[in-house]
Amino acid sequence: MAKITAAQVKELRDKTSVGMMDAKKALVAADGNMQEAIDKLREKGVAKAAKKSGNIAAEGLTHIEVSGNKAAIIEVNSETDFVSSNDKFINLVNEIGKAIVANEPKTMDEALALKIGDQTINDAITGLTAVIGEKISLRRFKVLDKTDSQVFGSYLHNGGLIGAIVTLEGSDEDAAKDVAMHVAAINPEFMDRNQVPADRLEHEKAIFTEETKAEGKPEKIIPRIVEGRLNKFLSEISLADQEFVKDSDMTVQQFVESKNSKLVSFVRYEVGEGIEKKQEDFAEEVKNQMK
C-alpha cells in the first residue's frame, strides 16, 4: 500500500474542498492514485447530495450572460446566502450561464445535460452540493434573441439577488441598461397596457366602479373617475406607463422615445421569489436541543 503524504492530502483538498479526513480516506482507498481518489469522492458525494434533495433552496444568485445577439438569464439556488458568496458557487453559476447562452436549451432536462468542462451541469451541481453540504439547484433560465438593430441592457442588483435584462429597438446600450435598472427596482408585470389581459382589466374596472359608487360620487362623473383610477392601476403594472425611476417627470416610454428607441422585451428574476422559505424558530430550536 502506498504511503499517503500530507502534500497529497493537501492537493486533493485543494481540488475538491473536502475535509482532511475525507481526503485521506479517499487516497488510502485509492492507494495514492489522485484521480481515483477524486472519483471516489465524487461517487460518495452523489450519495451525500441525494440526502439534500428535499431541502429548501431559496437563496442563491441570478446571472446574465450576453453573447452577441443572444443572452441568457438564469437563477441558481442554494440553501443559505452564505453559500451564494462562495467562489466555487459563483464560478459554477457563471459557467452554467455560458453553457446555456451557447447552446440555447429548450427544457430544464436539456440544460442539465449540457457540458461544462468534462461533466454535465447536473453532475457539477451534484458535486458542489456534496462539497459544500447544501442543496444547490438550477431553478430557471430564459434565452433571449435580438436583431442587429436592437440592444440588450442588463443589470444585477446586490451582486445578483435581482437580475433584469431589457431589449430595446435602437442602438443606445446605456438607455437599455437604465431601463433594466428600472425593471429591477420597480418590478413591472407587463411591457405595456396592451399586454394586460382583458379579463383582468374588466375585473379592476368593475371594482373601481363599485368603489366609486359606494363613495357617493355623482353618477355622471363616475366613468371619468373610474378611467382615472384604471390609468393609475396600469401605471403601476405596465413598464411603459410607469414613472421612470431616474426621472419621475417622464414615463419609461417617454424616456425610451427620447433616446430614439422602442421597448421590445424585458425579463426580471428575483432570487427565491415564489418559494416558500423555511421559517426558523430559534427559541424552539434551543428548547429542543436542551431536551
Side-chain angles (χ1 to χ4, degrees), residues 104-132:
E104 300 185 78
K106 299 295 187 293
T107 66
M108 183 59 72
D109 286 342
E110 287 182 13
L112 292 173
L114 295 177
K115 286 292 189 75
I116 49 175
D118 60 351
Q119 60 185 332
T120 65
I121 288 177
N122 189 62
D123 287 344
I125 289 173
T126 300
L128 192 58
T129 294
V131 167
I132 290 179

Short mmCIF file of all heavy atoms in Angstrom, two decimals, residues 104-132:
data_model
loop_
_atom_site.label_atom_id
_atom_site.label_comp_id
_atom_site.label_asym_id
_atom_site.label_seq_id
_atom_site.Cartn_x
_atom_site.Cartn_y
_atom_site.Cartn_z
N GLU A 104 -28.52 27.23 -26.05
CA GLU A 104 -29.95 27.54 -26.12
C GLU A 104 -30.86 26.33 -25.85
O GLU A 104 -31.68 25.95 -26.70
CB GLU A 104 -30.31 28.15 -27.48
CG GLU A 104 -29.58 29.44 -27.80
CD GLU A 104 -30.06 30.07 -29.09
OE1 GLU A 104 -31.14 30.69 -29.08
OE2 GLU A 104 -29.36 29.93 -30.11
N PRO A 105 -30.73 25.71 -24.69
CA PRO A 105 -31.62 24.57 -24.39
C PRO A 105 -33.08 25.02 -24.29
O PRO A 105 -33.36 26.17 -23.92
CB PRO A 105 -31.10 24.09 -23.02
CG PRO A 105 -30.49 25.32 -22.41
CD PRO A 105 -29.86 26.06 -23.55
N LYS A 106 -33.99 24.11 -24.61
CA LYS A 106 -35.42 24.44 -24.58
C LYS A 106 -36.08 23.99 -23.27
O LYS A 106 -37.10 24.54 -22.88
CB LYS A 106 -36.13 23.76 -25.76
CG LYS A 106 -35.63 24.19 -27.14
CD LYS A 106 -35.90 25.66 -27.40
CE LYS A 106 -35.56 26.05 -28.83
NZ LYS A 106 -34.11 25.98 -29.10
N THR A 107 -35.51 22.98 -22.62
CA THR A 107 -36.10 22.44 -21.40
C THR A 107 -35.04 22.37 -20.31
O THR A 107 -33.83 22.44 -20.58
CB THR A 107 -36.67 21.03 -21.63
OG1 THR A 107 -35.57 20.13 -21.91
CG2 THR A 107 -37.66 21.02 -22.79
N MET A 108 -35.51 22.17 -19.07
CA MET A 108 -34.57 22.03 -17.95
C MET A 108 -33.71 20.77 -18.12
O MET A 108 -32.51 20.79 -17.81
CB MET A 108 -35.34 21.98 -16.63
CG MET A 108 -34.45 21.92 -15.40
SD MET A 108 -33.31 23.32 -15.26
CE MET A 108 -34.47 24.64 -14.84
N ASP A 109 -34.32 19.69 -18.59
CA ASP A 109 -33.55 18.46 -18.81
C ASP A 109 -32.42 18.69 -19.80
O ASP A 109 -31.29 18.20 -19.62
CB ASP A 109 -34.46 17.33 -19.31
CG ASP A 109 -35.34 16.77 -18.20
OD1 ASP A 109 -35.02 17.01 -17.02
OD2 ASP A 109 -36.34 16.11 -18.52
N GLU A 110 -32.71 19.43 -20.87
CA GLU A 110 -31.68 19.74 -21.87
C GLU A 110 -30.58 20.59 -21.24
O GLU A 110 -29.39 20.40 -21.52
CB GLU A 110 -32.29 20.48 -23.06
CG GLU A 110 -33.14 19.62 -23.97
CD GLU A 110 -33.69 20.41 -25.15
OE1 GLU A 110 -33.21 21.54 -25.39
OE2 GLU A 110 -34.58 19.89 -25.84
N ALA A 111 -30.97 21.55 -20.40
CA ALA A 111 -29.98 22.42 -19.76
C ALA A 111 -29.08 21.64 -18.83
O ALA A 111 -27.85 21.79 -18.85
CB ALA A 111 -30.69 23.53 -18.99
N LEU A 112 -29.65 20.76 -18.02
CA LEU A 112 -28.86 19.98 -17.06
C LEU A 112 -27.93 18.99 -17.73
O LEU A 112 -26.91 18.58 -17.15
CB LEU A 112 -29.80 19.24 -16.10
CG LEU A 112 -30.59 20.12 -15.13
CD1 LEU A 112 -31.61 19.29 -14.35
CD2 LEU A 112 -29.66 20.86 -14.17
N ALA A 113 -28.24 18.62 -18.98
CA ALA A 113 -27.40 17.68 -19.72
C ALA A 113 -26.24 18.37 -20.45
O ALA A 113 -25.36 17.69 -20.98
CB ALA A 113 -28.24 16.89 -20.72
N LEU A 114 -26.23 19.70 -20.48
CA LEU A 114 -25.15 20.42 -21.16
C LEU A 114 -23.82 20.20 -20.44
O LEU A 114 -23.77 20.02 -19.23
CB LEU A 114 -25.46 21.92 -21.19
CG LEU A 114 -26.67 22.37 -22.01
CD1 LEU A 114 -26.86 23.88 -21.87
CD2 LEU A 114 -26.51 21.99 -23.48
N LYS A 115 -22.75 20.23 -21.21
CA LYS A 115 -21.42 20.02 -20.65
C LYS A 115 -20.78 21.34 -20.22
O LYS A 115 -20.85 22.34 -20.94
CB LYS A 115 -20.52 19.34 -21.67
CG LYS A 115 -20.81 17.87 -21.90
CD LYS A 115 -20.45 17.06 -20.64
CE LYS A 115 -20.51 15.56 -20.88
NZ LYS A 115 -19.37 15.07 -21.65
N ILE A 116 -20.17 21.34 -19.04
CA ILE A 116 -19.26 22.41 -18.64
C ILE A 116 -17.96 21.71 -18.24
O ILE A 116 -17.93 20.97 -17.27
CB ILE A 116 -19.83 23.28 -17.50
CG1 ILE A 116 -20.36 22.45 -16.34
CG2 ILE A 116 -20.92 24.19 -17.99
CD1 ILE A 116 -20.83 23.29 -15.16
N GLY A 117 -16.94 21.93 -19.04
CA GLY A 117 -15.72 21.16 -18.85
C GLY A 117 -15.95 19.72 -19.24
O GLY A 117 -16.50 19.44 -20.31
N ASP A 118 -15.57 18.79 -18.37
CA ASP A 118 -15.69 17.37 -18.70
C ASP A 118 -16.90 16.72 -18.02
O ASP A 118 -17.00 15.50 -17.96
CB ASP A 118 -14.42 16.62 -18.30
CG ASP A 118 -14.12 16.73 -16.80
OD1 ASP A 118 -14.82 17.52 -16.11
OD2 ASP A 118 -13.21 16.03 -16.32
N GLN A 119 -17.82 17.52 -17.50
CA GLN A 119 -19.00 16.97 -16.84
C GLN A 119 -20.26 17.75 -17.22
O GLN A 119 -20.17 18.85 -17.76
CB GLN A 119 -18.82 16.99 -15.32
CG GLN A 119 -18.60 18.37 -14.74
CD GLN A 119 -18.29 18.33 -13.25
OE1 GLN A 119 -18.71 17.43 -12.55
NE2 GLN A 119 -17.53 19.31 -12.78
N THR A 120 -21.41 17.16 -16.96
CA THR A 120 -22.66 17.85 -17.25
C THR A 120 -22.95 18.87 -16.15
O THR A 120 -22.38 18.81 -15.05
CB THR A 120 -23.84 16.87 -17.32
OG1 THR A 120 -24.03 16.29 -16.01
CG2 THR A 120 -23.58 15.77 -18.34
N ILE A 121 -23.86 19.80 -16.46
CA ILE A 121 -24.28 20.77 -15.44
C ILE A 121 -24.86 20.03 -14.24
O ILE A 121 -24.59 20.39 -13.08
CB ILE A 121 -25.31 21.75 -16.03
CG1 ILE A 121 -24.61 22.72 -17.00
CG2 ILE A 121 -26.03 22.53 -14.93
CD1 ILE A 121 -25.54 23.69 -17.70
N ASN A 122 -25.64 19.00 -14.50
CA ASN A 122 -26.25 18.24 -13.40
C ASN A 122 -25.19 17.63 -12.49
O ASN A 122 -25.29 17.69 -11.26
CB ASN A 122 -27.15 17.15 -13.96
CG ASN A 122 -27.97 16.47 -12.89
OD1 ASN A 122 -28.79 17.11 -12.23
ND2 ASN A 122 -27.75 15.17 -12.69
N ASP A 123 -24.14 17.05 -13.10
CA ASP A 123 -23.07 16.45 -12.30
C ASP A 123 -22.30 17.50 -11.52
O ASP A 123 -21.89 17.27 -10.38
CB ASP A 123 -22.11 15.66 -13.20
CG ASP A 123 -22.71 14.36 -13.70
OD1 ASP A 123 -23.73 13.92 -13.11
OD2 ASP A 123 -22.19 13.79 -14.68
N ALA A 124 -22.09 18.66 -12.15
CA ALA A 124 -21.36 19.74 -11.48
C ALA A 124 -22.15 20.24 -10.27
O ALA A 124 -21.58 20.52 -9.21
CB ALA A 124 -21.10 20.89 -12.46
N ILE A 125 -23.47 20.35 -10.42
CA ILE A 125 -24.33 20.78 -9.31
C ILE A 125 -24.30 19.74 -8.19
O ILE A 125 -24.16 20.07 -7.01
CB ILE A 125 -25.77 21.02 -9.81
CG1 ILE A 125 -25.82 22.28 -10.67
CG2 ILE A 125 -26.74 21.13 -8.63
CD1 ILE A 125 -27.16 22.51 -11.35
N THR A 126 -24.39 18.47 -8.58
CA THR A 126 -24.37 17.39 -7.59
C THR A 126 -23.04 17.37 -6.84
O THR A 126 -23.00 17.22 -5.62
CB THR A 126 -24.59 16.03 -8.28
OG1 THR A 126 -25.86 16.04 -8.92
CG2 THR A 126 -24.55 14.89 -7.28
N GLY A 127 -21.96 17.55 -7.58
CA GLY A 127 -20.63 17.55 -6.97
C GLY A 127 -20.45 18.68 -5.99
O GLY A 127 -19.93 18.48 -4.88
N LEU A 128 -20.90 19.88 -6.35
CA LEU A 128 -20.73 21.03 -5.46
C LEU A 128 -21.67 20.93 -4.25
O LEU A 128 -21.33 21.37 -3.16
CB LEU A 128 -20.98 22.34 -6.21
CG LEU A 128 -20.56 23.61 -5.47
CD1 LEU A 128 -19.07 23.56 -5.11
CD2 LEU A 128 -20.87 24.85 -6.29
N THR A 129 -22.84 20.34 -4.46
CA THR A 129 -23.75 20.08 -3.34
C THR A 129 -23.05 19.22 -2.29
O THR A 129 -23.14 19.48 -1.09
CB THR A 129 -25.04 19.38 -3.82
OG1 THR A 129 -25.77 20.26 -4.66
CG2 THR A 129 -25.92 18.97 -2.65
N ALA A 130 -22.35 18.20 -2.76
CA ALA A 130 -21.64 17.30 -1.85
C ALA A 130 -20.50 18.01 -1.13
O ALA A 130 -20.28 17.83 0.06
CB ALA A 130 -21.11 16.10 -2.61
N VAL A 131 -19.78 18.84 -1.87
CA VAL A 131 -18.63 19.54 -1.30
C VAL A 131 -19.06 20.58 -0.27
O VAL A 131 -18.52 20.66 0.84
CB VAL A 131 -17.80 20.22 -2.42
CG1 VAL A 131 -16.80 21.20 -1.83
CG2 VAL A 131 -17.08 19.17 -3.26
N ILE A 132 -20.07 21.37 -0.62
CA ILE A 132 -20.49 22.48 0.25
C ILE A 132 -21.41 22.00 1.36
O ILE A 132 -21.43 22.55 2.45
CB ILE A 132 -21.16 23.59 -0.59
CG1 ILE A 132 -20.10 24.29 -1.45
CG2 ILE A 132 -21.89 24.59 0.27
CD1 ILE A 132 -20.63 25.38 -2.35
#
